Amino acid sequence: QVQLVESGGGLVQPGGSLRLSCAASGSIIAIHIMAWYRQALGKQRELVARIAHDGGTNYAESLKGRFTISRDNAKNTMYLQMDSLEPGDTAVYYCNAAIRSTQDYAWSNYWGQGTQVTVSS
């Protein structure tokens, strides 16, 4: 069974930083695209950033320059470094990944359970 587990969320003051991690585990053969999404209260889930296996990245235009996505393929882990955080960044952050596992040898889309990020003074 494949699992994605996020960690690193919490309460931070405006202007502060947080680093989120997403660890994939289970009977994994390969991981293609990994991505971070977020969902603020009362709003739709939105893409924050995505990263390919070769390290190619895409960001939500409004977050460029403050957020940095990275991954460690050897550890099946993805990161999101968030700097200069603003109250508007408050949301539940979700990890998403396209994974091929020995469960069915097909590519499937997986989600983590989410980690809360709250930016407040």
Side-chain angles (χ1 to χ4, degrees):
Q1 187 78 1
V2 173
Q3 279 191 319
L4 297 178
V5 178
E6 301 100 335
S7 61
L11 173 64
V12 62
Q13 291 188 341
S17 297
L18 280 176
R19 188 191 194 209
L20 305 183
S21 298
C22 169
S25 63
S27 51
I28 295 169
I29 298 172
I31 303 177
H32 186 31
I33 301 290
M34 300 186 81
W36 288 100
Y37 286 76
R38 70 183 184 181
Q39 188 167 18
L41 197 62
K43 295 187 177 181
Q44 288 189 331
R45 190 172 298 189
E46 62 176 357
L47 176 68
V48 173
R50 62 167 65 98
I51 184 167
H53 187 271
D54 65 0
T57 60
N58 294 102
Y59 292 89
E61 195 64 32
S62 61
L63 300 176
K64 281 183 180 178
R66 295 196 298 120
F67 288 15
T68 304
I69 191 172
S70 61
R71 64 192 282 175
D72 184 333
N73 291 328
K75 296 181 179 179
N76 288 337
T77 300
M78 174 179 63
Y79 306 96
L80 185 68
Q81 177 67 39
M82 304 185 292
D83 299 317
S84 302
L85 283 161
E86 305 168 352
D89 296 317
T90 295
V92 178
Y93 285 71
Y94 295 92
C95 172
N96 172 262
I99 297 175
R100 190 178 182 201
S101 71
T102 58
Q103 192 169 344
D104 56 10
Y105 293 89
W107 289 100
S108 297
N109 195 38
Y110 292 89
W111 290 91
Q113 82 288 351
T115 185
Q116 176 70 45
V117 171
T118 302
V119 184
S120 176
S121 54

